[in-house]
Amino acid sequence: MRAFRSRNFRLFFTGQSISLIGTWMTRIATGWLVYKLTHSAKMLGIVGFAGQIPTFLLAPFAGVWIERMDRRKLLVWTQVLAGIQSLTIAFLTLAKVITIHELLLLSACQGIINAFDMPGRQAALVKMVNDRESLRSAIALNSSMVNIARLIGPAIAGLLIAAVGEGWCFLVDGLSYIAVIASLLMMRLDSSKGVSKAPPKMIEGLKDGWAYVSTFLPVRTILLLFAVVSLMGFPYMVLMPLFASDVLHGGAHMLGWLSSASGIGAVISAITLALRRGVRGLTRMIQIACFLFGGGLILLGYSHWFVLSMVALLFIGFGMMQGIAASNTVIQTLVPEDKRGRVMSYYTVAFVGMAPFGSLLGGTLANRFGPQHTVMLTGAVCILGAAWFSTQLPKIREEMRPVYEELGILPKKPLEPAVNS
C-alpha cells in the first residue's frame, strides 16, 4: 500500500477505478453488439483488429512524443476524447441506427487514442509516486484496480444488456470518464519531472529507443515473449461471445459471468503481486504465469460445462495478469528515466499492438475450426513460448544483476582477490 502515501496516486486510483468499470462494460457490450449484428466470428476478429491496429502503428511515435510534453495534459486529452467516442457509440446505439461500419470506424478512433494513452499512463506512474519502491507498489495496485473493474464491469454489463440493451453500457462508460478527468486536474505534479530536458528528434528518438529494447536482453526477451502471447493468447477475449452463445448455450448473462471469472483470477493475481516485498523473483513468476495462461486456454477449449469453463477462466485471468504486471514491474525497474516513454511505447506494442493481428487470426480460425479448437491451439503456442523463456532465464538474470546491484535491490558481489602469478 506504499503508493497510497502519495496524494496524486490516491486521486489517480479513485478516478481510474470508476472509469475502468465503464471501460470493461463497453468491451463486453461491443463484442455482444458485433455478434448480434453479424453472427460472425470473423467479424468479431475484424472489429478487434480495427480497434487495436492503430496502437501497433502509432505507439513507437507516441513514445518519443510523450517524452516531450507534460504527461498529465496528455492523459486529460486522451480521456476527454475517449469519453466523446463512448458517448457517440451510446447515442447511435440508443437511437437504434448503429451499423457495423460505424462500429469499425469508432473502434479505430479508440485505437488511435489508446496509442497515446496507454504508454503515457504507464510512463506517468513515476510522476505520481515519491520513489522507485513506491513505483513497484503503484504498478501492483494499478493491476488490482484494472482487474477489480474487470470483475465488476462485465457483471454489470451482462445485467444491463439483458435488461435494457448495449447502448446504456456505452452511456455509463462515457460518463465515467468525468471521474478520471477530475482526478487528473486535481493533482499537484512537477511538470518537469519525467520530461526530457533535451527531447530527441523523432527519428533519432525512435532509433535510440529501438536500440535499447533490441540489445538489452532482459527487456528484449520479455517483450518477445509477450508479443507471442498477445498474438496467440489474448484474442480469446474476442471469442468470448461465441463461448457464451454457441458452446455453453447462454446469453448476455453468461458472457458477463465468464468475463467476471477471468476477472476474479486476475484480481487474485494482482493481490499476490501487491503483497510481494520486492521485485526479486518476478522473472520466475513471468515464466509460471505463461504456463498457467496457456494451460487455462487449453482447458477452456476442452470444456463444454459452465463450471469447468469458469475454472479455466480463473487460471487464464490469473496467468494473464501475473505476466502483464510482473513484466511491467521488471521493465519499469530496469529502464532509465530518459528512455521510459519510448520503452513503454514498445511495451504497449508488444502487449496491445500484436493483439489486432491475433484478433484477426483468432476470428478467422474460429470461423473455420470453431472457438474451442482455436483456443486450444493458441494455448499450446503460449506454453511453447514459456518453455523458450525458461531457457533464457539464466542469461536474463546475469544481465539484470548489475542494474539491481546499483539500485540496491541485490547486494553487490564481493571483489575476487587478485591471484599472484
Side-chain angles (χ1 to χ4, degrees):
M1 299 299 170
R2 180 169 180 156
F4 280 137
R5 298 175 188 175
S6 168
R7 175 182 180 274
N8 292 325
F9 184 77
R10 292 197 303 270
L11 285 168
F12 175 77
F13 188 92
T14 303
Q16 195 73 8
S17 295
I18 296 170
S19 178
L20 282 170
I21 292 173
T23 299
W24 278 104
M25 291 173 65
T26 280
R27 291 190 182 186
I28 297 300
T30 300
W32 192 256
L33 182 59
V34 169
Y35 194 62
K36 188 172 79 172
L37 290 173
T38 66
H39 295 284
S40 168
K42 188 174 182 180
M43 190 54 68
L44 283 168
I46 291 173
V47 172
F49 179 86
Q52 294 163 328
I53 189 62
T55 302
F56 176 81
L57 298 173
L58 298 177
F61 300 95
V64 179
W65 193 52
I66 286 165
E67 292 177 3
R68 301 180 177 188
M69 68 176 298
D70 184 336
R71 292 167 191 171
R72 177 174 62 172
K73 290 181 180 178
L74 169 68
L75 292 179
V76 169
W77 277 109
T78 57
Q79 300 308 296
V80 168
L81 293 173
I84 293 171
Q85 187 263 3
S86 291
L87 291 173
T88 302
I89 297 181
F91 173 76
L92 293 173
T93 307
L94 291 171
K96 301 187 184 301
V97 295
I98 191 78
T99 67
I100 192 64
H101 299 96
E102 289 163 343
L103 268 176
L104 281 166
L105 177 61
L106 289 166
S107 294
C109 290
Q110 185 62 56
I112 295 171
I113 296 167
N114 287 342
F116 293 87
D117 177 71
M118 297 183 73
R121 192 185 315 164
Q122 296 293 337
L125 279 178
V126 73
K127 296 181 64 178
M128 298 178 189
V129 294
N130 301 320
D131 51 50
R132 193 176 285 266
E133 185 60 26
S134 295
L135 177 62
R136 183 190 64 79
S137 169
I139 293 169
L141 288 168
N142 186 58
S143 300
S144 303
M145 170 180 61
V146 170
N147 289 291
I148 290 171
R150 186 180 175 191
L151 173 62
I152 298 170
I156 297 174
L159 294 172
L160 270 182
I161 293 169
V164 292
E166 302 85 356
W168 288 95
C169 294
F170 300 129
L171 180 61
V172 171
D173 182 30
L175 296 175
S176 72
Y177 283 99
I178 296 172
V180 71
I181 293 168
S183 71
L184 288 166
L185 293 175
M186 292 169 64
M187 289 181 187
R188 300 175 193 144
L189 296 175
D190 179 0
S191 61
S192 64
K193 183 181 177 183
V195 179
S196 177
K197 293 181 179 178
K201 294 181 179 179
M202 183 61 71
I203 300 302
E204 292 176 1
L206 287 171
K207 287 181 179 179
D208 192 29
W210 175 251
Y212 178 82
V213 300
S214 63
T215 58
F216 188 34
L217 180 66
V219 173
R220 182 183 71 203
T221 307
I222 291 171
L223 292 185
L224 281 174
L225 171 65
F226 280 96
V228 172
V229 172
S230 175
L231 175 68
M232 300 302 295
F234 289 2
Y236 87 91
M237 293 183 285
V238 174
L239 303 178
M240 290 310 297
L242 287 173
F243 279 95
S245 177
D246 296 355
V247 178
L248 299 176
H249 308 293
H253 286 95
M254 180 74 73
L255 179 60
W257 280 112
L258 293 176
S259 299
S260 293
S262 179
I264 291 171
V267 168
I268 295 170
S269 171
I271 291 171
T272 63
L273 284 168
L275 293 174
R276 292 182 65 91
R277 295 186 177 273
V279 298
R280 296 176 64 175
L282 283 181
T283 50
R284 177 68 67 185
M285 290 310 303
I286 294 172
Q287 172 198 31
I288 294 170
C290 288
F291 277 118
L292 284 175
F293 181 62
L297 287 173
I298 292 173
L299 181 61
L300 178 65
Y302 273 114
S303 174
H304 288 272
W305 302 305
F306 173 69
V307 174
L308 185 58
S309 296
M310 293 280 282
V311 171
L313 284 161
L314 282 171
F315 282 105
I316 290 170
F318 183 94
M320 183 173 72
M321 184 45 54
Q322 191 80 189
I324 291 174
S327 61
N328 189 340
T329 304
V330 170
I331 291 173
Q332 291 260 36
T333 302
L334 293 172
V335 65
E337 185 56 42
D338 63 342
K339 293 184 175 63
R340 189 176 301 277
R342 283 168 285 173
V343 172
M344 297 318 295
S345 72
Y346 284 111
Y347 171 90
T348 302
V349 169
F351 281 84
V352 180
M354 296 304 295
F357 302 101
S359 296
L360 203 58
L361 176 64
T364 302
L365 289 174
N367 202 50
R368 179 76 179 270
F369 303 109
Q372 292 178 285
H373 289 98
T374 299
V375 296
M376 288 167 65
L377 172 63
T378 57
V381 174
C382 291
I383 289 176
L384 290 175
W388 167 77
F389 183 78
S390 302
T391 66
Q392 304 298 307
L393 268 180
K395 294 179 183 177
I396 291 172
R397 288 171 176 160
E398 185 179 345
E399 289 209 21
M400 287 171 60
R401 186 173 186 91
V403 181
Y404 276 14
E405 287 179 355
E406 184 180 347
L407 295 172
I409 297 170
L410 291 175
K412 292 187 177 181
K413 285 184 178 179
L415 295 175
E416 295 182 3
V419 179
N420 294 326
S421 57

